[in-house]
Amino acid sequence: MLKEFKEFALKGNVMDLAVGVVIGGAFGKIVTSLVNDIITPLIGLLLGKVDFSGLFINLSGVPYKTLAEAKAAHAATLNYGLFLNSVIDFVIIAFSIFIVIKQLNRFKRKQEVVVAPVTTKECPHCISAIPIKATRCPNCTSMLETKGTALAHE
């Protein structure tokens, strides 16, 4: 069983997936920081100095000035500002992944497709596929054209 696991774990796809997960985790942290530390404050400034991370609805009935105070008191809150940050975070990550995959697909399309050489031709009489070098159709026994000369159908 250990040998089978080793073979599985060292396959190219599994290793690629592992690298992708690690890079994705690091990328997610960078995007989260971008959203929380740069984009959201700029949006908040444009909307009248609103701090999204501090937006919440208090469900406990006891008034709290900040989300930190409500959390410290273990009050029930709906943290819609943190949710908005997460939505912005997701949109940026999804858009970034879309751009990366679009570019990868673009590079794949540029690779030339190898066309297999033609090995068959079509009989003009019975429309069946026959070898390219054939001078007589094996299906209808008609004589076929050979280098510009058309032979009659028997």
Side-chain angles (χ1 to χ4, degrees):
M1 186 179 348
L2 185 60
K3 181 181 176 186
E4 287 180 42
F5 177 73
K6 183 179 173 184
E7 288 174 12
F8 169 76
L10 295 180
K11 284 184 180 177
N13 293 342
V14 174
M15 297 303 287
D16 291 345
L17 179 63
V19 169
V21 167
V22 171
I23 290 174
F27 182 71
K29 288 180 182 180
I30 291 170
V31 171
T32 299
S33 176
L34 175 71
V35 169
N36 292 337
D37 301 330
I38 296 174
I39 294 175
T40 306
L42 289 175
I43 293 172
L45 182 65
L46 293 174
L47 295 176
K49 297 185 180 181
V50 177
D51 179 16
F52 285 112
S53 62
L55 299 177
F56 70 101
I57 297 174
N58 184 2
L59 301 175
S60 69
V62 178
Y64 297 102
K65 291 184 180 183
T66 65
L67 179 60
E69 287 178 12
K71 282 187 175 185
H74 301 291
T77 59
L78 290 176
N79 306 323
Y80 66 92
L82 295 175
F83 177 74
L84 287 174
N85 281 348
S86 295
V87 169
I88 294 169
D89 192 20
F90 170 77
V91 169
I92 291 172
I93 290 174
F95 182 72
S96 300
I97 290 172
F98 168 75
I99 295 297
V100 168
I101 290 178
K102 185 174 180 177
Q103 290 302 317
L104 287 174
N105 287 339
R106 195 168 156 209
F107 290 134
K108 284 182 183 178
R109 276 188 236 131
K110 286 185 179 181
Q111 295 174 351
E112 290 187 31
V113 178
V114 178
V115 179
V118 178
T119 59
T120 61
K121 62 183 175 181
E122 190 175 85
C123 173
H125 304 287
C126 69
I127 317 297
S128 61
I130 57 174
I132 197 122
K133 292 183 178 181
T135 57
R136 183 181 290 267
C137 178
N139 299 309
C140 69
T141 68
S142 297
M143 292 298 290
L144 303 173
E145 290 184 20
T146 56
K147 297 187 182 180
T149 323
L151 299 175
H153 181 69
E154 293 181 1

